[in-house]
Amino acid sequence: MFDQELYVVCQIDDFNLKIMVNKYVDNHIQVLYKEILNTEQYAENGLVLDSELTGKTLRTILNKINKLLKINITRVALNLPSNNLKIYQSRAMLDFKEVNHVITNSDINQVIEMAKNISIERDEVICLTKPYDFKVDNKNFPNSFPLNAQGQIIYLESLIYTLPTAIYNSQLEVLKQAKCELLSATLDQFALVFNFHNNFNNLVLIDWGWNNTKISVFSNSALYAIHNIKIGFNQIIQGLMVKMHCSYSKALKYLTKIINVNSDYLGDLIVDKYFDQESRRMVVLSKADLQNTVRNQLDEIVEHIEGFLTEIINNDPNIEIAFTGQTINLPGFSSYIKNFEKLSKVSFIANIIPGIDNYEWAPLIGATNYQHNLNIFNNVTVSSISNTGKEIINKTLAHEKNEIDANQHHSHLNLNYQYNDNR
């Protein structure tokens, strides 16, 4: 019924569990199924609170999907939270002792493994490795593998990404409890970029999410720095709740339907009032009162963003700054944010899959793109379903067949590839 490129992707956030079934065909993604559960708290700052219960919930959804689509899901791709991510710089060198040694895949894998031999905290685990610069003797191979190059010494510069062991294990334990295998794992910020950009060079991605705002700095398609601000869309709503003395749903309605953060039109218009028990008087709120409440919260986050940008990129004009997330859909936000000098030329990126224009699905679409690229790079076809005995191409034969032109074939994919350290 389905070809091999059918991927089940999952993301466990603090207050929701998201599942998608996507089919990759003819360079396009077809969404076959999506579901989000947001009735309880699943994690706290990325740490799954009850991996067994969450795993059983996931298993129930997978059973429903199997019955609906008449498939057998055995593997699930997972987006890992980057809230507590650490990034390490690593270098490695391998001396072959012979002057004209021909570099093989085995040599490349060996020097990458050597790069992982770094000192990290006892409570951390390596989750991804990003090799980005090879050199054989004096010849550089930036963003490509030196396969078949000749030389005595191979050098590697790499980035190593770690997460707290407790968070990492709790996320993977969910799949174990759901009785399914891990197809692949990547970080949520990498997944977002895979959804929006094929090559993410010199990019600052500002992901204005639900409970936090992540600022990710990409250069040569590698994530070099990340900063997490614990203020998001949810905190803006809560600020309005306090100002208006109202319910969450009412504050959300005013935020998205009545307030325009970039317009002072009808600012004196009375839009709400309530009786304050403490002062024993009626409090009247104008449109400007509510707008200023939201603006103050936006300005607080922008202050963090501008400080980080000054420290990291020092106003480099060649760096693209892009916003994504739930907040960019606020009325007037795209105009208001450009009032700030460092953000005057920002772009706004949203999901481009037909029928799936909601931000909350963007990382899962990106994870699908990532797995597709991963399959091409590794000369395999591994999907989420078991419906054939020919899913995995013999890698030895594939490499023998493709070693001559491997760099040419994969040159555009090397930029976007990270080694999964959990497979």
Side-chain angles (χ1 to χ4, degrees), residues 5-10 20-25 28-31 77-79 183-184 186 191 194-195 353 361-375:
E5 290 204 77
L6 188 141
Y7 305 123
V8 179
V9 289
C10 173
M20 288 190 88
V21 181
N22 298 322
K23 180 181 177 183
Y24 200 100
V25 57
H28 292 89
I29 292 176
Q30 297 177 0
V31 179
L78 185 64
N79 280 348
L183 175 62
S184 67
T186 192
F194 268 102
N195 188 32
I353 303 299
W361 299 110
L364 282 79
I365 294 292
T368 302
N369 285 320
Y370 170 72
Q371 180 60 46
H372 169 73
N373 282 357
L374 196 63
N375 277 345

Coordinates of all heavy atoms in Angstrom, one line a residue, residues 5-10 20-25 28-31 77-79 183-184 186 191 194-195 353 361-375:
E5 N 9.2 5.1 2.2 CA 9.4 6.3 2.9 C 8.2 6.8 3.7 O 7.5 7.8 3.3 CB 10.0 7.4 2.0 CG 11.4 7.2 1.6 CD 12.1 8.4 1.2 OE1 12.5 9.2 2.1 OE2 12.2 8.7 0.0
L6 N 7.8 6.1 4.7 CA 6.7 6.4 5.5 C 7.3 6.6 7.0 O 7.8 5.6 7.5 CB 5.6 5.4 5.5 CG 4.3 5.8 6.2 CD1 3.1 5.4 5.5 CD2 4.3 5.2 7.6
Y7 N 7.1 7.7 7.5 CA 7.8 8.0 8.8 C 6.8 8.5 9.9 O 5.9 9.3 9.6 CB 8.8 9.2 8.6 CG 9.8 8.9 7.6 CD1 10.0 9.8 6.5 CD2 10.6 7.8 7.6 CE1 10.9 9.6 5.5 CE2 11.5 7.5 6.6 CZ 11.7 8.4 5.6 OH 12.6 8.2 4.6
V8 N 6.9 7.8 11.0 CA 6.1 8.2 12.2 C 7.1 9.1 13.1 O 8.1 8.6 13.4 CB 5.6 7.0 13.0 CG1 4.8 7.5 14.2 CG2 4.7 6.1 12.1
V9 N 6.7 10.3 13.4 CA 7.5 11.2 14.1 C 6.8 11.6 15.4 O 5.5 11.8 15.4 CB 7.9 12.4 13.3 CG1 8.9 12.0 12.2 CG2 6.7 13.1 12.6
C10 N 7.5 11.8 16.5 CA 6.9 12.1 17.8 C 7.7 13.2 18.5 O 9.0 13.3 18.3 CB 6.9 10.9 18.6 SG 6.4 11.1 20.3
M20 N 2.8 12.4 14.3 CA 2.5 12.5 12.9 C 2.9 11.3 12.1 O 3.9 10.7 12.4 CB 3.2 13.8 12.3 CG 2.7 15.1 12.7 SD 3.4 16.4 11.7 CE 2.2 16.5 10.3
V21 N 2.1 11.0 11.1 CA 2.5 10.0 10.1 C 2.7 10.7 8.8 O 1.7 11.2 8.2 CB 1.5 8.8 10.0 CG1 2.0 7.8 9.0 CG2 1.3 8.2 11.4
N22 N 3.9 10.7 8.2 CA 4.1 11.4 7.0 C 4.7 10.5 5.9 O 5.6 9.7 6.2 CB 5.1 12.6 7.2 CG 4.5 13.6 8.2 OD1 3.4 13.9 8.2 ND2 5.4 14.1 9.1
K23 N 4.3 10.7 4.7 CA 4.8 9.9 3.6 C 5.6 10.8 2.7 O 5.1 11.9 2.3 CB 3.6 9.3 2.8 CG 4.1 8.5 1.6 CD 2.8 7.9 0.9 CE 3.2 7.1 -0.4 NZ 2.0 6.6 -1.1
Y24 N 6.8 10.5 2.4 CA 7.7 11.3 1.6 C 7.7 10.6 0.2 O 8.2 9.5 0.0 CB 9.1 11.3 2.1 CG 10.0 12.4 1.6 CD1 10.2 13.5 2.4 CD2 10.6 12.3 0.3 CE1 11.0 14.6 1.9 CE2 11.3 13.4 -0.1 CZ 11.5 14.5 0.6 OH 12.3 15.6 0.2
V25 N 7.2 11.4 -0.8 CA 7.1 10.9 -2.1 C 7.3 12.0 -3.1 O 6.7 13.1 -2.9 CB 5.7 10.2 -2.3 CG1 4.6 11.1 -2.1 CG2 5.6 9.6 -3.7
H28 N 8.0 15.5 -1.9 CA 7.0 16.2 -1.2 C 6.6 15.3 0.0 O 6.7 14.1 0.0 CB 5.8 16.5 -2.0 CG 6.0 17.5 -3.1 ND1 6.5 17.2 -4.4 CD2 5.9 18.9 -3.1 CE1 6.6 18.3 -5.1 NE2 6.3 19.3 -4.4
I29 N 6.0 16.0 1.0 CA 5.5 15.3 2.2 C 4.0 15.3 2.2 O 3.4 16.3 2.0 CB 6.0 16.0 3.5 CG1 7.6 15.8 3.6 CG2 5.3 15.4 4.7 CD1 8.2 16.5 4.8
Q30 N 3.5 14.1 2.3 CA 2.0 14.0 2.5 C 1.7 13.6 3.9 O 2.2 12.6 4.4 CB 1.5 12.9 1.5 CG 1.7 13.2 0.1 CD 1.2 12.0 -0.8 OE1 0.7 11.0 -0.4 NE2 1.3 12.2 -2.1
V31 N 0.9 14.4 4.6 CA 0.5 14.1 5.9 C -0.7 13.1 6.0 O -1.8 13.4 5.5 CB 0.1 15.4 6.7 CG1 -0.3 15.1 8.1 CG2 1.3 16.3 6.7
A77 N 10.5 8.1 14.9 CA 11.5 9.2 14.9 C 11.2 10.1 16.1 O 10.0 10.4 16.3 CB 11.6 9.9 13.6
L78 N 12.2 10.6 16.8 CA 11.9 11.4 18.0 C 12.7 12.7 17.9 O 13.9 12.8 17.6 CB 12.4 10.6 19.2 CG 12.1 11.2 20.6 CD1 10.6 11.3 20.9 CD2 12.8 10.4 21.7
N79 N 12.0 13.8 18.2 CA 12.6 15.1 18.4 C 12.9 15.3 19.9 O 12.1 15.2 20.7 CB 11.7 16.2 17.9 CG 11.6 16.4 16.4 OD1 12.5 15.9 15.7 ND2 10.7 17.2 16.0
L183 N 13.7 5.2 15.4 CA 14.1 5.3 14.0 C 15.3 6.2 13.9 O 16.3 5.9 13.2 CB 12.9 5.8 13.2 CG 13.2 6.1 11.7 CD1 13.6 4.8 10.9 CD2 11.9 6.7 11.0
S184 N 15.2 7.4 14.4 CA 16.3 8.4 14.5 C 15.9 9.4 15.5 O 14.7 9.6 15.9 CB 16.5 9.1 13.1 OG 15.4 9.8 12.7
T186 N 16.7 13.7 16.5 CA 17.4 14.9 16.3 C 16.9 15.9 17.3 O 15.9 15.7 18.0 CB 17.3 15.4 14.8 OG1 18.2 16.5 14.6 CG2 15.8 15.9 14.5
A191 N 15.4 20.2 13.8 CA 14.2 19.8 13.0 C 13.5 21.0 12.5 O 13.0 21.0 11.3 CB 13.2 19.0 13.9
F194 N 15.3 22.2 9.4 CA 15.1 21.3 8.3 C 13.7 21.5 7.6 O 13.6 21.2 6.5 CB 15.2 19.8 8.8 CG 16.6 19.2 8.6 CD1 17.4 19.1 9.7 CD2 17.1 18.8 7.4 CE1 18.7 18.6 9.6 CE2 18.3 18.3 7.3 CZ 19.1 18.2 8.4
N195 N 12.8 22.1 8.4 CA 11.5 22.3 7.8 C 11.6 23.6 6.9 O 10.8 23.7 5.9 CB 10.5 22.5 8.9 CG 9.1 22.6 8.4 OD1 8.7 22.1 7.4 ND2 8.3 23.4 9.1
I353 N 3.8 23.2 4.3 CA 3.1 22.0 3.9 C 1.6 22.3 3.7 O 1.0 22.8 4.7 CB 3.3 20.8 4.9 CG1 4.8 20.5 5.1 CG2 2.6 19.6 4.4 CD1 5.5 20.1 3.8
W361 N 3.2 21.9 14.3 CA 3.6 20.7 13.5 C 4.9 20.9 12.8 O 5.5 20.0 12.2 CB 2.5 20.4 12.5 CG 1.2 20.1 13.2 CD1 0.1 20.8 13.2 CD2 0.9 18.9 14.1 NE1 -0.9 20.2 14.0 CE2 -0.4 19.1 14.5 CE3 1.7 17.8 14.5 CZ2 -1.0 18.1 15.3 CZ3 1.1 16.9 15.3 CH2 -0.2 17.0 15.7
A362 N 5.5 22.1 12.8 CA 6.7 22.4 12.0 C 7.9 21.5 12.4 O 8.5 21.0 11.5 CB 7.0 23.9 12.1
P363 N 8.2 21.3 13.7 CA 9.3 20.5 14.0 C 9.1 19.0 13.5 O 10.1 18.3 13.2 CB 9.4 20.5 15.5 CG 8.7 21.8 15.9 CD 7.6 21.9 14.9
L364 N 7.9 18.5 13.5 CA 7.7 17.1 13.1 C 7.8 17.0 11.6 O 8.3 15.9 11.1 CB 6.3 16.6 13.6 CG 6.3 16.2 15.1 CD1 6.2 17.5 15.9 CD2 5.2 15.3 15.4
I365 N 7.4 18.0 10.8 CA 7.6 18.0 9.4 C 9.1 18.0 9.1 O 9.7 17.3 8.3 CB 7.0 19.2 8.7 CG1 5.4 19.1 8.9 CG2 7.4 19.3 7.3 CD1 4.8 18.0 8.1
G366 N 9.9 18.9 9.9 CA 11.3 18.9 9.8 C 12.0 17.6 10.1 O 13.0 17.2 9.4
A367 N 11.5 16.9 11.1 CA 12.1 15.6 11.4 C 11.9 14.6 10.2 O 12.7 13.7 10.0 CB 11.4 15.0 12.7
T368 N 10.8 14.8 9.5 CA 10.6 13.9 8.3 C 11.6 14.2 7.3 O 12.2 13.3 6.7 CB 9.1 14.1 7.8 OG1 8.2 13.8 8.9 CG2 8.9 13.2 6.6
N369 N 11.8 15.5 7.0 CA 12.9 15.9 6.0 C 14.2 15.3 6.5 O 15.0 14.9 5.6 CB 12.9 17.4 5.9 CG 11.8 17.9 5.1 OD1 11.4 17.4 4.1 ND2 11.2 19.1 5.5
Y370 N 14.5 15.4 7.8 CA 15.8 15.0 8.3 C 16.0 13.5 8.0 O 17.0 13.0 7.6 CB 15.9 15.3 9.8 CG 17.0 14.6 10.5 CD1 18.3 15.1 10.3 CD2 16.9 13.5 11.3 CE1 19.4 14.5 10.9 CE2 17.9 12.9 12.0 CZ 19.2 13.4 11.7 OH 20.3 12.8 12.4
Q371 N 14.9 12.7 8.3 CA 15.1 11.2 8.1 C 15.2 10.9 6.7 O 16.0 10.0 6.3 CB 13.8 10.5 8.7 CG 13.9 9.0 8.6 CD 15.1 8.4 9.3 OE1 15.4 8.7 10.4 NE2 15.7 7.5 8.6
H372 N 14.5 11.6 5.8 CA 14.7 11.4 4.3 C 16.2 11.6 3.9 O 16.8 10.8 3.2 CB 13.8 12.3 3.6 CG 14.0 12.3 2.1 ND1 13.7 11.3 1.3 CD2 14.6 13.3 1.3 CE1 14.1 11.6 0.0 NE2 14.6 12.8 0.0
N373 N 16.7 12.8 4.4 CA 18.1 13.0 4.1 C 19.1 12.0 4.6 O 20.1 11.6 4.0 CB 18.5 14.4 4.6 CG 18.0 15.5 3.7 OD1 17.4 15.3 2.6 ND2 18.2 16.8 4.1
L374 N 18.8 11.6 5.8 CA 19.6 10.6 6.5 C 19.6 9.3 5.7 O 20.7 8.6 5.6 CB 19.0 10.3 7.9 CG 19.9 9.6 8.9 CD1 21.2 10.4 9.2 CD2 19.2 9.4 10.2
N375 N 18.5 8.9 5.2 CA 18.4 7.6 4.4 C 19.3 7.8 3.1 O 20.0 6.8 2.8 CB 17.0 7.3 4.0 CG 16.2 6.6 5.1 OD1 16.8 6.1 6.1 ND2 14.9 6.6 5.0

